[in-house]
Amino acid sequence: TGFSTQDFSPALAMHNIDGSLDTGFGDNGIVILDDDLTRESFGLDETPSGQIMLGATISEQSNAQIALYLFNGDGTLDDSFGTAGELIVDLPEDFIRFSKLIVQPDGKILLGGTNFSDVIIARLNADGSPDTDFGQFSTNGYEFFDWGGNERFYDMVLLDNGKIACSASSTLLTSNTQALVIQIDSNGDYDTGFGFGGFAEIEIGNENVGATITADGTDLLLGGSTPIPFEAPHFLARIS
C-alpha cells in the first residue's frame, strides 16, 4: 500500500494475506521516506523483476517534478536506480497532477493524470527518461488528450494487447459532465477503431463521472457515480 504521512512524506506498507503488516518488510511492515520536501504518493506497481515502484508528487515545485522510488522486497531502496533508489523526473510543464502509475511488462513506466483541462498520459523508459517513441503529437513522451472541454483523469489500465485505456470525465461549456473512456495504441496514438476516434462517451442520466476502469478479457468495465439528486448514485458499464 502506498500512502503519505501527515507531514506529506511518501510511505509504503506491506501486508500479509490476512491484512496484518509484514514485519519482514521495512520497519515492522512500513517504510517512510522522510526528507525536507513535501511529497505526496500517487501510485505504485510491481516491476517485472518483483520490485515495487512508488511515485510521488513534489509539491514545492508546483508539480513540475515527480519522484520515483524503487524498493527491494525487504523494503530497502534499490541503490542502482536513480540516486540511492530515488529518481527525480522533470515534467514538461507546471501543474501536471499524476494519479496513476503502471509498470509495463517491458519495464517502461506509464503515468496518467491531468493539468487544468486535459488528460495526460506519459511513458518513461525503465531508467526514468522520457520514451520519445510514445505519443502522436509530441516527442517528449507526454501526450495530452482533449475532448473539447475540461477533462479530468481518473484511472488507467494496460490491456493484454498492449493498448491503454483510461477513464475520465469531460465538462463542456454547453452540457453537463459526462464519463469518458479514452483508448490509445501502445505507441500513444489514438485507437481510431475504438469509439469516436479513440473516445467513447458514457451517457447515463444527466450527469456522471467515471471513477475506475479495469479489463475483463477483451471488454472494459467502468465504474462511476452521478451527483444528481434522486438518480442512481453509482453505475457500472461494460464496453466491448
Side-chain angles (χ1 to χ4, degrees):
T1 304
F3 63 98
S4 297
T5 63
Q6 189 173 6
D7 61 353
F8 294 101
S9 295
L12 189 65
M14 180 71 73
H15 298 266
N16 296 309
I17 194 170
D18 62 358
S20 61
L21 287 170
D22 181 356
T23 56
F25 180 85
D27 184 7
N28 291 317
I30 297 176
V31 174
I32 298 176
L33 301 173
D34 192 11
D35 56 28
D36 296 332
L37 294 176
T38 299
R39 308 187 182 195
E40 186 176 359
S41 301
F42 66 78
L44 81 163
D45 199 9
E46 184 176 2
T47 70
S49 63
Q51 294 175 298
I52 302 168
M53 179 166 288
L54 177 71
T57 298
I58 303 177
S59 298
E60 276 84 353
Q61 303 298 328
S62 300
N63 300 335
Q65 290 181 321
I66 60 171
L68 298 177
Y69 303 92
L70 188 61
F71 294 89
N72 298 309
D74 60 358
T76 59
L77 286 168
D78 182 351
D79 290 339
S80 67
F81 180 77
T83 302
E86 176 192 59
L87 180 67
I88 304 299
V89 178
D90 293 323
L91 304 182
E93 63 178 52
D94 293 347
F95 304 109
I96 292 177
R97 187 75 173 181
F98 286 117
S99 55
K100 183 74 174 186
L101 181 152
I102 296 175
V103 181
Q104 296 185 168
D106 60 3
K108 292 187 177 183
I109 305 158
L110 283 172
L111 302 171
T114 188
N115 54 11
F116 287 118
S117 60
D118 300 322
V119 169
I120 302 169
I121 308 296
R123 189 163 70 194
L124 308 177
N125 295 309
D127 62 0
S129 61
D131 181 359
T132 56
D133 293 328
F134 182 81
Q136 184 174 6
F137 302 108
S138 67
T139 58
N140 61 0
Y142 294 79
E143 193 73 351
F144 293 70
F145 298 92
D146 185 5
W147 185 243
N150 291 322
E151 279 72 51
R152 181 177 178 182
F153 172 91
Y154 286 97
D155 198 11
M156 179 171 62
V157 63
L158 180 64
L159 307 181
D160 291 341
N161 58 10
K163 295 183 179 182
I164 302 157
C166 68
S167 61
S169 65
S170 178
T171 304
L172 300 176
L173 296 177
T174 57
S175 65
N176 294 319
T177 300
Q178 295 293 338
L180 284 178
V181 176
I182 304 170
Q183 187 160 295
I184 59 177
D185 294 328
S186 59
N187 59 3
D189 296 348
Y190 289 101
D191 180 5
T192 56
F194 176 83
F196 181 76
F199 291 82
E201 188 175 34
I202 311 301
E203 297 185 7
I204 303 174
N206 293 325
E207 186 167 351
N208 55 79
V209 177
T212 186
I213 190 169
T214 188
D216 179 21
T218 58
D219 294 344
L220 297 172
L221 294 176
L222 177 70
S225 62
T226 174
I228 303 300
F230 310 114
E231 294 189 13
H234 305 288
F235 69 86
L236 180 66
R238 181 188 293 272
I239 304 170
S240 299

